[in-house]
Amino acid sequence: MPYGRWAAFLAVLLALAMPVRSQTVRVDGGMIAGATGFNPNVRVYKGVPFAAPPVGNLRWREPQPVAKWDGVKQTTEYSPMCQQRERPKDSYHTPDILPVSEDCLYLNVWTPAKSANQKLPVMVFIHGGGFGVSSGIEKWFNGERLAEKGVIVVTFNYRLGVFGFLAHPELTKESEHHTSGNYGMLDQIYALKWVQRNIGVFGGDPRKVTMFGQSAGSESVCMDMATPLAKGLYIHAISESVGCFGPSTPEPKLAEAEQEGMKFAADAKASSIAELRMRPAEELQAIKTQVRFRPIIDGYFLPTDPYTIFSKNQENIVPMILGSNSDEGLLIWPATDTLAAYTQQAKKNYGDKADEFMKIYPASTDAEGKEAAYTIGRDQIAWQERVWADMVSRGKAKTYRYYFSRVPPVPDGMFREQKVHPLGAFHQAEIVYVFGTLDTRNFVWADIDRKISGMMMAYWTNFAKTGDPNGANLPKWTPSDPEHDVVMGFGDTIAMREGIAKAALAFWDSFYAKGSSPAD
């Protein structure tokens, strides 16, 4: 064997044998060096490239392999976030001021392993943000506290908005799979495959991967279970708020998405994809358009609609944790301004079931109509999670459902959303509890908040290790099934609960009649 090949072979052996805490490991592309976290027993690798920069001619193409580099790449700083729309500065969802770039396909690893042969379970987190904002580097997604529980944590960026989800006939024609539009989802699959190839050098076991996500990240978990492209890339899944077949998020089909893409090109005053590829990313991001960019049923990533895939148990069937929050609807559900509009919308949307609907969601004033809309959002998200869990249970995998109702101690008037309504246990509220990152929010946390956080971290990491969240000194978490509507309640008390919003969920069961897809 030539000397160069021997040297490369020996470098790989040394990387595998080397204690992870010595910081240097070899991954796709070359050697990287990380740093010690706040806990000296946890090593952190930030800004690790998992795919080639999707720029120039790689814009709107499937993710490509990273280019090799010489020497040791320092991975001690986060990468930029992917290009995205600007978030209001006074919103609960506003991150620290972080740079954005089209060159954004990087991931982050937190590992407590003392050696590469430790074979620890791995938790891969998919961030939310409506497929238009956020990243894997938000401060509340810091994986160090979870890693202290004996798991490796991975977060990553994926392409968003027009860069992640533009479909167009020209793009479909140039694709070897005769499709376009799901580039952000293909980034997720590419990141999961990177974990399979590389996590061993960090002390992880590629056969023990749990993917988990919140909001659009949870919707992604749902679609990543539905796609055949992710088969074998994980063995457990955790969904925090929102599935991928709910009435609020019907996935368009390719032909429809291509037409929307042509509308965007017209809005951009571009006559071709080649011309769009020449435009600066910031210019495309700033274009005013009514086009919604999100995952689609493209015949490749999603062969058909996810509801059909799950209802036939054709998904990648794995044990799951699923759940939602008691005030999900506030930040993400559209509300009417007047009682008349609310009543008119009810008649239009629910037809001969409108009277039944109004009994479950009554309103006699403008304010009550708006409040009812938020409750509808909460219940439809809870309905998605329950139906999703039931379908997975029928596939003979255990599902553990939760209901988060603890109201975080957000100071009055701290965020613009509080001008509309008290935040309550809002959409995304549970994230800092799951990651143990309460102190990234400048709130006056109570003992119960830290207790809930400790329990959720224990349940989540136990599940990653064994497929069962239960463990010593934790309340028993009973699996759910279609005959037993039970959830673990994370509120001012932590205990099993049964029959939450029973009448409302029964209404949605009857409205979306058995066997029909809510996306229809």
Side-chain angles (χ1 to χ4, degrees):
M1 182 182 294
Y3 175 78
R5 291 187 180 180
W6 269 113
F9 178 68
L10 289 172
V12 171
L13 290 180
L14 285 171
L16 290 171
M18 188 182 302
V20 172
R21 288 160 30 131
S22 69
Q23 90 173 13
T24 305
V25 295
R26 179 174 292 277
V27 296
D28 290 357
M31 300 295 288
I32 61 172
T36 303
F38 292 109
N39 183 331
N41 294 316
V42 176
R43 303 297 303 178
V44 187
Y45 300 80
K46 300 176 180 178
V48 181
F50 70 88
V55 300
N57 286 332
L58 294 186
R59 180 186 283 175
W60 301 311
R61 294 189 191 276
E62 291 190 35
Q64 300 296 311
V66 297
K68 297 187 183 301
W69 58 83
D70 296 325
V72 178
K73 181 184 288 291
Q74 297 299 312
T75 54
T76 56
E77 300 290 337
Y78 287 124
S79 70
M81 303 190 297
C82 289
Q83 283 286 344
Q84 57 193 267
R85 65 180 185 269
E86 188 175 356
R87 284 176 272 180
K89 296 296 187 291
D90 60 346
S91 170
Y92 184 90
H93 297 276
T94 302
D96 292 335
I97 302 302
L98 298 170
V100 298
S101 172
E102 198 174 359
D103 177 5
C104 62
L105 298 184
Y106 298 85
L107 52 75
N108 317 291
V109 181
W110 289 263
T111 176
K114 294 180 173 60
S115 68
N117 60 8
Q118 200 162 341
K119 303 297 184 184
L120 295 179
V122 184
M123 299 183 72
V124 180
F125 180 70
I126 307 174
H127 72 78
F131 301 106
V133 297
S134 196
S135 70
I137 64 173
E138 308 274 12
K139 58 188 177 183
W140 39 85
F141 301 157
N142 186 300
E144 187 164 336
R145 293 296 310 282
L146 283 175
E148 292 172 350
K149 303 291 184 183
V151 300
I152 294 175
V153 179
V154 178
T155 68
F156 64 92
N157 300 337
Y158 56 93
R159 282 172 282 181
L160 303 167
V162 63
F163 302 99
F165 298 97
L166 176 72
H168 192 282
E170 285 186 48
L171 291 173
T172 300
K173 185 176 180 179
E174 73 181 26
S175 165
E176 64 176 298
H177 302 293
H178 310 292
T179 187
S180 61
N182 278 334
Y183 305 105
M185 304 309 299
L186 296 176
D187 293 342
Q188 294 180 15
I189 301 302
Y190 213 73
L192 287 166
K193 289 182 176 179
W194 185 97
V195 169
Q196 289 294 310
R197 294 191 305 272
N198 295 277
I199 206 64
V201 300
F202 299 95
D205 189 343
R207 299 168 301 175
K208 293 182 180 178
V209 173
T210 297
M211 65 173 176
F212 68 125
Q214 186 271 339
S215 191
S218 175
E219 191 175 342
S220 295
V221 167
C222 183
M223 286 184 276
D224 289 340
M225 288 179 67
T227 179
L229 303 184
K231 187 174 180 60
L233 301 182
Y234 55 87
I235 63 169
H236 311 130
I238 301 175
S239 159
E240 299 173 33
S241 307
V242 188
C244 61
F245 44 77
S248 66
T249 55
E251 295 81 11
K253 294 184 179 180
L254 177 60
E256 178 186 348
E258 287 177 333
Q259 292 300 310
E260 290 290 290
M262 292 174 69
K263 289 180 185 176
F264 176 80
D267 292 337
K269 297 180 172 54
S271 60
S272 68
I273 289 296
E275 186 176 342
L276 283 175
R277 282 187 170 130
M278 293 176 65
R279 299 280 184 87
E282 294 78 10
E283 180 182 325
L284 294 183
Q285 187 66 56
I287 290 171
K288 303 291 186 183
T289 182
Q290 296 299 311
V291 176
R292 291 185 68 201
F293 296 107
R294 38 182 314 108
I296 65 171
I297 302 168
D298 62 349
Y300 173 55
F301 173 75
L302 284 179
T304 186
D305 71 275
Y307 185 90
T308 297
I309 292 170
F310 277 91
S311 64
K312 295 181 178 180
N313 282 134
Q314 294 173 343
E315 79 277 17
N316 304 307
I317 302 172
V318 296
M320 292 194 70
I321 289 176
L322 310 91
S324 60
N325 300 351
S326 61
D327 295 280
E328 289 277 10
L330 173 63
L331 299 183
I332 61 172
W333 211 261
T336 54
D337 291 325
T338 66
L339 176 63
Y342 174 72
T343 303
Q344 182 179 9
Q345 192 175 85
K347 291 178 179 178
K348 176 183 177 182
N349 291 345
Y350 305 108
D352 59 2
K353 288 187 174 290
D355 289 342
E356 183 182 353
F357 169 86
M358 291 298 290
K359 289 179 182 178
I360 296 173
Y361 301 105
S364 57
T365 66
D366 293 348
E368 288 178 356
K370 184 170 290 189
E371 186 73 23
Y374 297 142
T375 305
I376 292 164
R378 176 200 70 187
D379 292 344
Q380 288 205 354
I381 289 171
W383 178 84
Q384 288 187 58
E385 296 287 316
R386 193 195 68 182
V387 172
W388 183 5
D390 287 351
M391 289 192 288
V392 172
S393 294
R394 283 197 294 269
K396 306 304 181 184
K398 287 187 177 181
T399 57
Y400 298 85
R401 292 174 52 217
Y402 74 87
Y403 188 72
F404 185 91
S405 60
R406 171 63 183 171
V407 178
V410 182
D412 291 341
M414 188 171 187
F415 301 108
R416 67 183 180 90
E417 290 90 350
Q418 293 169 301
K419 297 176 183 177
V420 177
H421 191 283
L423 288 179
F426 53 91
H427 183 72
Q428 198 192 46
E430 86 291 349
I431 282 290
V432 292
Y433 293 81
V434 168
F435 276 88
T437 51
L438 298 180
D439 293 329
T440 61
R441 291 297 194 185
N442 189 25
F443 305 160
V444 181
W445 299 103
D447 290 344
I448 183 62
D449 295 300
R450 299 193 185 280
K451 180 180 179 180
I452 291 171
S453 179
M455 285 189 168
M456 293 186 81
M457 284 193 290
Y459 281 128
W460 264 235
T461 54
N462 287 345
F463 182 74
K465 294 170 186 177
T466 67
D468 185 330
N470 291 291
N473 302 316
L474 292 170
K476 175 70 175 179
W477 193 341
T478 305
S480 67
D481 60 52
E483 284 72 46
H484 300 90
D485 186 15
V486 294
V487 299
M488 175 60 76
F490 293 107
D492 293 340
T493 59
I494 300 96
M496 294 301 296
R497 298 177 61 181
E498 186 171 1
I500 294 175
K502 186 174 182 178
L505 298 189
F507 169 80
W508 296 114
D509 280 338
S510 66
F511 183 73
Y512 299 114
K514 186 176 181 180
S516 66
S517 168
D520 290 341

